Amino acid sequence: MGIIRVNNIVIYTNHGCLEEEAKIGSEYRVDLEIKADLNKSAVTDELKDTVDYVHLNKIAKEEMNVRSKLLEQVAKRIIDRIFSEIEMVEEAEVSISKINPPIGGNVGEVTIVLQETRKS
């Protein structure tokens, strides 16, 4: 089993429960970690035998651009697409951070993390 991480995907979009968040938007950071068998690609040196991190980045960006009130829903959509589109992924973890959230104080970020294992 191996791990691929795609970290610090920065996206400006408009998630949140407040009306102002929908209009103004905020900066978000997405971090992905997937687990898959990377032994074959370590030998073959072929992209077709591994998880393409370009594909992971594309999924994260596309789902982040679909408005939701809660980041949990966005993370779940990202995980569902990873499992649907990339068969060799066994586990996926998605962290989404809202940078400078509007919560009435000096808070650098708020982060949610969802992790799932592929169901047989």
Side-chain angles (χ1 to χ4, degrees), residues 93-108:
E93 180 177 290
V94 177
S95 302
I96 303 175
S97 301
K98 183 179 246 182
I99 310 301
N100 297 316
I103 60 174
N106 188 6
V107 176

Side-chain angles (χ1 to χ4, degrees), residues 18 30 41-42 49-50 67 73-74 77 82 90 101 103 120:
L18 302 176
V30 179
S41 61
D49 295 327
T50 191
R67 177 165 163 65
Q73 184 186 66
V74 183
R77 288 197 318 261
I82 289 171
E90 293 298 324
I103 60 174
S120 302

Side-chain angles (χ1 to χ4, degrees), residues 43-56:
V43 173
T44 66
D45 196 29
E46 295 293 334
L47 183 60
K48 67 180 178 58
D49 295 327
T50 191
V51 176
D52 186 352
Y53 51 79
V54 172
H55 192 174
L56 293 170

Side-chain angles (χ1 to χ4, degrees), residues 4 10 13-14 18 22-23 25 29 35 37 65 75 79 86 94 97 104 111:
I4 294 176
V10 178
T13 191
N14 60 346
L18 302 176
K23 293 177 184 174
R29 186 186 73 238
K35 292 183 181 177
D37 183 351
N65 283 317
I79 287 173
I86 309 172
V94 177
S97 301
T111 303

Side-chain angles (χ1 to χ4, degrees), residues 9 11 30 32 56-64 78:
I9 303 167
I11 300 165
V30 179
L32 305 175
L56 293 170
N57 185 57
K58 178 179 183 271
I59 290 170
K61 285 184 170 184
E62 288 177 356
E63 292 304 325
M64 285 296 292
I78 292 170

